[in-house]
Amino acid sequence: MADHDLVLGNPGLALGQNHELVIGEGQGLGLGHRHGLVLGHPHDHDLDLGQSHSHDLALGHSNESQLVLGHHHHQHHHDHGHDDGEELALGQNHDADQDSLAQSHELGISDNHELTLAETHDLSVDHSLDQLSVDHEQELALGLTQEMLQGQLVVSQVLQARAVVVSPDHQLTVGQEFADVKSCRRAIRDTAIACHFEIQTVKSDKTRFTARCAAEGCPWRIHAAKLTGVPNFTIRTINETHTCSGIYHLGHQQASVEWVANSVEEQLRENPHYKPKEILEEIHRMHGITLSYKQAWRGKERIMATVRGSFEEGYRLLPQYCEQIKRTNPGSIASVYKNPEDDCFQRLFISFYASIYGFVNACRPLIGLDKTVLKSKYLGTLLLATGFDGDGALFPLAFGVVDEASDENWIWFLSELHALLEANTENMPRLTILSDRQKGIVDGVDFNFPTAFHGFCMHHLTESFRKEFSNSALVDIFWGAAHALTDYEFDAKMREIEQISPEAAFWIGRIPPRLWATAYFEGTRFGHVTANIVESINGWILEASSLPIIQMMEYIRRQLMTWFNERREASMQWGTILVPSAERRVSDAIEHARGYQVGRANEAEFEVVSPREGSIIVDIRNRCCLCRGWQLYGLPCAHGVAALLSCRQNVHRYTESCFTVATYRKAYSQTIHPIPDKSLWKEMSDSNQNANNQIALVVNPPKSLRPPTKPRKKRVRSEDQGRVKRIVHCSRCNQTGHFRTTCAAPV
């Protein structure tokens, strides 16, 4: 075979590289069942085509002439003539070798009469056909590459059974033992998935488990039984022979939700944020299985339920959790309310004593109200009441969990907030409250805090303004009007808005300035014009919102515990009288005051002349300035600093006490203590007889799941009242009231 002969059955018929096989117009070539096709040297490297599928090598030019290498057993094709249906059939009794092609492979003739190999799967040996060409006069020339010198292409008989190569991790042997029947079933299932065949359970009970290959006629079978006196199972018999071809679809019958959960359990414990999409990609990469998104999601939820507890268990344990809060953090308030008719969860209110003490004794008398929608299984809404410490940072005070941010729920939340403040202070401070002024909040503030100053949160107000006018320049001027300290500056900003858009000026004019403008607001906001609490803590509050209710509250508690400790330790390093932000503001005021001229009228009243602002009157006894900066921020403005320095007064003594480092340390002096694991709650409660009544309270999950697509209750904000609603038009059905994207009209 040194000249690379093509042997067709009879060794006497050989076609070398330089020989031509010419088939006449009316001639045919028939090969009997004893003929074989061998290309190249008679080495041991054989390429076997087929198991149980047909493999065609199509040979011809523009006609349907085919060179068919099949294994239709005990059949012999003899075609005579060279016409549109002429076919060249080669060999039937072909021997199998270890290397096989699972799918069909074709040799097709292109327009330039070159015979090429089209394959749908990789060949298991590294040999290739360079080209097979048929000239225009139907001359057949078989050219072989150097790679063909290293092996043979053998068309032989199909082997009727396949050997399955199993990794040591999935090896099943007779006598192999398992802890119980579940472990046994799990091992057999994993083996089936790893070896790409499906199983069908024949018998499964407490003492026996029998399964067979799901393919019809395949003899693979396994039987396991329970050992006497112990729960262990052992494999009694196993037939490892497969005559099937395995599975060819992308899924797997044994790839259940439980299997998905077990496959990714370790990754989920290390990274709870492992997404279902990432689970799908990992399983496809490791096992070659394509699953649905729902399977991946359910598998993740099953593992997360064991790690963090189920959503239903969270509601059931709420009474015990509230008791643990009050036990570990004395003075805290933790109350859960249920519907008396069906014992379903209704409301939850939690406020830690460390927060209550810090707010009452050391924080600014300013509260912001906000909410965020929960993303857990039963949804709901988290209500927040937050103070501000001396350095301007958020100081969470109370939390409430309700089904939705309705007016009724806001009134309840504010009544709970009033009760905790009243119980922890002798004289209720006159508060300033910032919110989006929802009707329920307005009513709740008026009823529970009648002396409080209630203002709009500018964040919510400007968002409504932006949706209406979509003009960033107008929004910036609107913010400037909100921050204006004097009515003169405010009027200048409003005139600027009116020049650009009279409609925008009219929209703003419908909202009383005393509710949002610093120049007209009667309370003290210390420079805060927003209460967008959720925006400030967005990094971790959104993560907590998808957890079961107890896990969510624990996430919040740990965050507060960390905040209190970090801020307490940080304040110990401060060597100034005022907190850093106040110290910087006073330092800037001192720098500006150096260029002012000061005249003294009496021991308290001063006239400060500024090159840009003219004459400004300052009263150091009442801590007020005509520019209103001292009154609004609680710190001496540049005019006040100039007056104080002129009479050799200590500027730091004329700041509000909440800005001092000593007061700041007092705000975080109390500790938010950790809560033990839920497995210890019952043991601790047994020793506390007073807690048994509270713990006996049964709380069920909310009665029904609210679908995410449920339309939210629309409330009309005060700034929207009187606005003419824009009429939308559908370009698809020519009707009004909806857009093309939401049109459901038949066309």
Side-chain angles (χ1 to χ4, degrees), residues 372-636:
T372 183
V373 177
L374 303 181
K375 299 180 180 179
S376 60
K377 180 178 180 180
Y378 292 94
L379 303 181
T381 302
L382 178 67
L383 308 181
L384 304 98
T386 302
F388 299 87
D389 64 23
D391 204 31
L394 292 177
F395 192 89
L397 176 59
F399 303 90
V401 179
V402 294
D403 57 349
E404 62 178 347
S406 63
D407 295 342
E408 181 183 358
N409 285 330
W410 271 118
I411 293 173
W412 162 81
F413 182 72
L414 289 168
S415 66
E416 294 285 334
L417 185 63
H418 175 268
L420 77 85
L421 292 176
E422 190 175 43
N424 289 273
T425 181
E426 296 181 359
N427 298 314
M428 178 70 69
R430 191 172 189 183
L431 299 173
T432 296
I433 298 177
L434 300 177
S435 72
D436 63 355
R437 288 189 63 87
Q438 180 180 332
K439 184 179 183 302
I441 299 178
V442 174
D443 294 341
V445 170
D446 292 343
F447 180 78
N448 295 285
F449 303 96
T451 61
F453 300 103
H454 191 189
F456 261 129
C457 167
M458 278 299 298
H459 173 75
H460 295 90
L461 193 57
T462 53
E463 284 301 309
S464 299
F465 182 80
R466 189 189 303 273
K467 292 177 182 178
E468 184 69 23
F469 297 100
S470 301
N471 189 321
S472 298
L474 286 176
V475 173
D476 293 340
I477 301 173
F478 192 9
W479 275 104
H483 285 287
L485 299 183
T486 64
D487 54 357
Y488 174 79
E489 296 173 351
F490 175 82
D491 293 338
K493 292 294 182 182
M494 291 302 299
R495 285 194 298 269
E496 190 175 348
I497 293 176
E498 188 173 9
Q499 290 175 357
I500 298 176
S501 173
E503 294 81 5
F506 176 77
W507 189 94
I508 297 174
R510 293 185 293 107
I511 308 170
R514 61 180 178 81
L515 297 178
W516 60 274
T518 301
Y520 294 96
F521 190 75
E522 298 176 356
T524 303
R525 296 187 294 189
F526 300 94
H528 292 277
V529 294
T530 64
N532 54 328
I533 302 167
V534 174
E535 295 292 328
S536 302
I537 58 178
N538 189 55
W540 58 270
I541 200 67
L542 290 182
E543 183 176 344
S545 67
S546 61
L547 299 174
I549 188 166
I550 288 182
Q551 296 297 322
M552 177 185 71
M553 297 311 303
E554 276 295 274
Y555 194 104
I556 294 173
R557 183 197 58 77
R558 293 189 187 100
Q559 185 65 44
L560 296 184
M561 182 178 68
T562 303
W563 275 4
F564 269 62
N565 181 65
E566 291 177 349
R567 293 174 182 178
R568 185 188 308 116
E569 292 183 349
S571 66
M572 295 301 173
Q573 308 300 321
W574 297 343
T576 56
I577 298 176
L578 304 179
V579 296
S581 61
E583 193 71 37
R584 289 192 298 269
R585 191 175 185 89
V586 170
S587 298
D588 292 341
I590 292 175
E591 285 296 322
H592 286 88
R594 297 187 187 279
Y596 296 167
Q597 297 179 358
V598 180
R600 187 168 186 173
N602 54 41
E603 61 180 9
E605 191 174 7
F606 294 80
E607 180 183 7
V608 179
V609 180
S610 167
R612 295 179 55 187
E613 301 168 299
S615 180
I616 303 294
I617 301 173
V618 177
D619 187 344
I620 63 173
R621 180 187 291 119
N622 296 318
R623 299 185 180 185
C624 63
C625 177
L626 193 61
C627 75
R628 302 188 73 239
W630 198 343
Q631 302 94 296
L632 295 176
Y633 292 98
L635 295 168

Side-chain angles (χ1 to χ4, degrees), residues 220-436:
W220 188 95
R221 188 181 180 93
I222 188 169
H223 175 71
K226 182 179 178 296
L227 296 176
T228 305
V230 292
N232 296 41
F233 263 65
T234 182
I235 296 178
R236 295 291 176 83
T237 61
I238 180 172
N239 185 349
E240 299 180 352
T241 303
H242 277 281
T243 58
C244 66
S245 304
I247 58 174
Y248 293 103
H249 55 82
L250 297 178
H252 200 288
Q253 184 178 348
Q254 274 66 53
S256 61
V257 172
E258 180 185 0
W259 177 79
V260 173
N262 294 334
S263 300
V264 297
E265 180 176 2
E266 183 177 349
Q267 293 95 319
L268 280 173
R269 290 185 180 274
E270 295 177 356
N271 178 22
H273 304 294
Y274 205 40
K275 297 180 180 179
K277 182 180 179 181
E278 297 172 335
I279 294 176
L280 292 177
E281 294 173 351
E282 177 69 13
I283 288 179
H284 183 75
R285 185 180 65 85
M286 295 295 296
H287 305 282
I289 297 176
T290 300
L291 303 175
S292 66
Y293 184 90
K294 185 176 181 180
Q295 281 181 289
W297 181 84
R298 291 175 61 193
K300 175 182 178 179
E301 288 300 307
R302 184 168 297 190
I303 291 299
M304 296 310 296
T306 62
V307 173
R308 67 193 179 192
S310 66
F311 290 92
E312 293 74 17
E313 182 189 36
Y315 289 101
R316 181 174 56 83
L317 294 177
L318 269 179
Q320 298 181 43
Y321 178 68
C322 291
E323 188 60 33
Q324 290 299 318
I325 290 177
K326 291 184 283 189
R327 188 188 67 82
T328 56
N329 293 266
S332 299
I333 297 175
S335 304
V336 58
Y337 301 89
K338 65 175 183 176
N339 190 324
E341 297 179 358
D342 52 14
D343 292 335
C344 289
F345 171 81
Q346 192 173 23
R347 295 171 179 140
L348 174 69
F349 184 88
I350 291 178
S351 180
F352 294 97
Y353 176 73
S355 297
I356 299 172
Y357 178 87
F359 177 79
V360 170
N361 294 281
C363 284
R364 310 175 187 184
L366 175 65
I367 292 179
L369 302 176
D370 206 350
K371 65 180 182 296
T372 183
V373 177
L374 303 181
K375 299 180 180 179
S376 60
K377 180 178 180 180
Y378 292 94
L379 303 181
T381 302
L382 178 67
L383 308 181
L384 304 98
T386 302
F388 299 87
D389 64 23
D391 204 31
L394 292 177
F395 192 89
L397 176 59
F399 303 90
V401 179
V402 294
D403 57 349
E404 62 178 347
S406 63
D407 295 342
E408 181 183 358
N409 285 330
W410 271 118
I411 293 173
W412 162 81
F413 182 72
L414 289 168
S415 66
E416 294 285 334
L417 185 63
H418 175 268
L420 77 85
L421 292 176
E422 190 175 43
N424 289 273
T425 181
E426 296 181 359
N427 298 314
M428 178 70 69
R430 191 172 189 183
L431 299 173
T432 296
I433 298 177
L434 300 177
S435 72
D436 63 355

